[in-house]
Amino acid sequence: MRQAKNASLFVGDKSVGFASIGMSIWGTNIGPSFLIASFGAAYSSGMLIANFEWFAWIFLLILGMVFTPFYLKSNVTTIPQIIKRRFGDGMYRLLSIYSLITIVIIWLGSGLYVGGLLFSQFTGWELWQSVLLLLIIATSFTIVGGLAAVIATDAFQTVLMIVGMAALTLIGLYEVGGIDGLMAKAPAEYWRLIDFDSESVPWMSFVLGYPIMGVWFWCTDQTIVQRVFASKDVPTAQKGILLAAVLKILPPFIFILPGIIFYVLQPGIDNTDGAFIAMVSEYMPIGFRGLMIAVLMAALISTLDSGLNSFSTIFTLDIYQPMIKKGKELSGKEVRLIGRIVTLAASALAFVWALAMEGMATNLFEIFQTLIAFLAPPLTTLFLVGLLWKRVTTAGATYGFVLGCITCMTVGICSINGQTFGLFEQWPHFLNLTFILFIVTSAITIGISLVTKHSADEEFLPKFKDVANTDSSQNKSIWKGWLILAIVMVGLYAGFEYLARNAGNTSDIPSSLPTELSSSPTTSSSTKKTASHSEPLTTNTDGLGAPEVNVYRGETPTFDGFIDQNEYQDATMLTGVENWNPQFSAVSDPKDLSGTVWIKHDGEYLYFAFDIVDNLMYGVDTPRWLPQENPNAHELTREGFPWFGDGVEVLINAKNSFSQEDGELNKGNGHSWQMVVSTHKSRLGGLGVAGLLEGEERSMLSAWNNYQKWILNKDMEAKVQIKPDAKGYTVEWRIRPDPCLEISPGEFWSADLPVTKMGLNLAVADLDNENEGAGNWGNFWHENWWSGERDKRTWLKQWGTMVLHGKTQPISTQDI
């Protein structure tokens, strides 16, 4: 068959052994984006994300024992070709284009961006230089040798990744005091694999949504399945897939476990996507850092060369030959030429897409899983419904696929941007969405099929019993292998459930912490101070109280950054900043960090005023220095650190809906937000000019856009003055209720409303010299919070309460 000969560049002459197939599947899946994202997600939530790895064996089983016999007995070289046989040319062309788009989005551009970003951090190169170098290396492997060279390279790189990450894991265990030290110090919930209350990986959502993603990724994606097409026969392919499933046991131990170890070593990192680089930089010997660069290179090249080869395969065999050459036979030379030209073209697309991603969010694990969640439903529907149910017609498959793609794309864009059009508060979890979209797409496909007839182009595929080798001894031994793997996986889940129930936790946070915010004024061991028309208040220093503060109407202050005593005599006063809950080093000298905060409103704006004592001002009487965790900290981008420097933060939950979920953060809109005022940089003035900056959650594009809009529209303003002796600073910060204090959809706080409660937290950061914060994350010296436990002060359920009164404070309520 002519095409079979021409396809040798893409399927390796069908001579690849099972070991190479298994390691290539595993290595292709483990790209730099996976490595960094899984490490960061483990730092945040522990072993929960291991479910994405340890459930994969089920879908590899389906690939090996159900789909592989169909694929190889049909003598196809691409996924679209199997659809062509079933539904004809129209569906074939649609799927070919869809496949090219998904390869660029998932395998090429995304992986190249993350790899280039990491390589630039290691080397100090510009991003585009790192991206270009890595792309040249990956492209050369693909062009020179085709799939056979790609698979051989992947197999070698798989070994390198396993060795490199195992070394990092062992070094981390040594630093944390071995297995016993890790078990004693890591939170018990970090070992849990099944958690019905988790927000990051809700268990029921996972059970519903992951199968949709799993079928698409492991059973129908060209980049993965192309390794199956390269095998010499069905048993070889099945053994290779079984090997890949066995290797999937490793990632939680060598990619996820180090993230948990680093959490124990250095808790409190907000930008978890930088956790991997931070651990490598701080704990690996210099020689081993070169090994880690090689690991990242291996992970990237393994992903890129696979994606490039798959792109070239589909374009050449499914678009160029049938559509451009009108089905004419191609010579082997022409196939190789076109394949290599297309590889270069795909490289150019990947380069552009990688650079375009530079301004996108950095919450990598959720970003990549979300992309898969919105790409998967149409193709999963096409294979599970379209191929397994003979009643599906060409019209049903085509319209279901097209309308499904449009629906998924629309929902995906709105969900990622947080755009709800006011119809509901927020989008469901992406795992729920992928299940819902699958149901919608399936309903369209089934509904249209029931009212249309089969076309002449359709061809029913053979039954499973006609292609499966049910009687062969090889087949029986492979099934035994799957059974053993199933037993191992059940044992792993049981083992980690035991760990979660019995692991020790030496955290100094008492287990009796309240789970919800107090609705009554906080009593404090600190002495209250009195002031005219004020309600002086200090927060508990033991972290056990959720403080509450009453805020009343007062006179409009002169908004200039200077704080006159008479301006805020009618404001509520918070004292004892040096005694707030320390995130890093505790304050030992009030001259180092102390201060007072006043809060009031004038009926039009809500005002916060800070008078902070600081004996050493970062960037004012000390040179600016940058943390190892982010040498681009002062960039005014989503990758920058708005709070890196001296400054204050305000966090408000205007809706006052306090989630009880661990790790639940603000939404970055009028309902709940966090903003920063720095003494040495600002959105409007850049580096060197104090003022407002975007806070968290910067990983959400909608939050980033909201924060910028508030600053540019002056919905929120801040004035900063450095004290004449440079021993501190004052801040006046005013907030317009509309759009910043949205207490319910479309309703914003005003002084005419009854007494209103909002969540509130405040922070004061002190940076000083790099060496003074040694041992702390980012070398911070002090960072004190009005409410919340250490490492949890940004969680919604850890905030205090602000009670807004529309009128002035009654004289009778004052402390005398």
Side-chain angles (χ1 to χ4, degrees), residues 265-277:
L265 292 171
Q266 291 195 26
I269 292 180
D270 287 331
N271 180 19
T272 57
D273 292 332
F276 176 77
I277 295 297

Side-chain angles (χ1 to χ4, degrees), residues 500-516:
R501 292 177 180 272
N502 296 280
N505 190 343
T506 60
S507 171
D508 57 0
I509 304 299
S511 59
S512 58
L513 278 170
T515 58
E516 57 186 355

Side-chain angles (χ1 to χ4, degrees), residues 540-588:
N540 291 334
T541 60
D542 56 10
L544 293 178
E548 183 174 287
V549 57
N550 288 282
V551 176
Y552 298 91
R553 186 169 190 151
E555 296 294 325
T556 301
T558 303
F559 188 65
D560 55 8
F562 294 102
I563 299 176
D564 183 272
Q565 183 177 0
N566 294 325
E567 282 186 299
Y568 289 94
Q569 64 178 345
D570 53 1
T572 300
M573 180 173 65
L574 306 181
T575 60
V577 165
E578 68 275 17
N579 293 321
W580 289 1
N581 301 317
Q583 169 64 16
F584 300 113
S585 305
V587 177
S588 58

Side-chain angles (χ1 to χ4, degrees), residues 786-800:
W786 183 60
S787 182
E789 307 168 36
R790 184 175 182 269
D791 299 330
K792 301 179 182 179
R793 65 266 179 257
T794 55
W795 293 7
L796 283 177
K797 73 175 187 178
Q798 296 283 332
W799 295 6

Side-chain angles (χ1 to χ4, degrees), residues 580-644:
W580 289 1
N581 301 317
Q583 169 64 16
F584 300 113
S585 305
V587 177
S588 58
D589 184 355
K591 295 180 181 179
D592 195 3
L593 178 67
S594 59
T596 305
V597 184
W598 294 268
I599 315 174
K600 68 175 179 178
H601 69 86
D602 65 354
E604 183 179 1
Y605 289 97
L606 176 64
Y607 289 87
F608 289 84
F610 295 80
D611 186 345
I612 304 299
V613 176
D614 188 354
N615 66 348
L616 201 61
M617 296 285 292
Y618 172 80
V620 177
D621 52 3
T622 71
R624 290 192 183 95
W625 53 270
L626 292 168
Q628 291 183 348
E629 290 83 356
N630 188 350
N632 302 316
H634 291 327
E635 289 184 358
L636 300 182
T637 65
R638 291 161 73 191
E639 287 72 39
F641 288 5
W643 32 263
F644 188 77

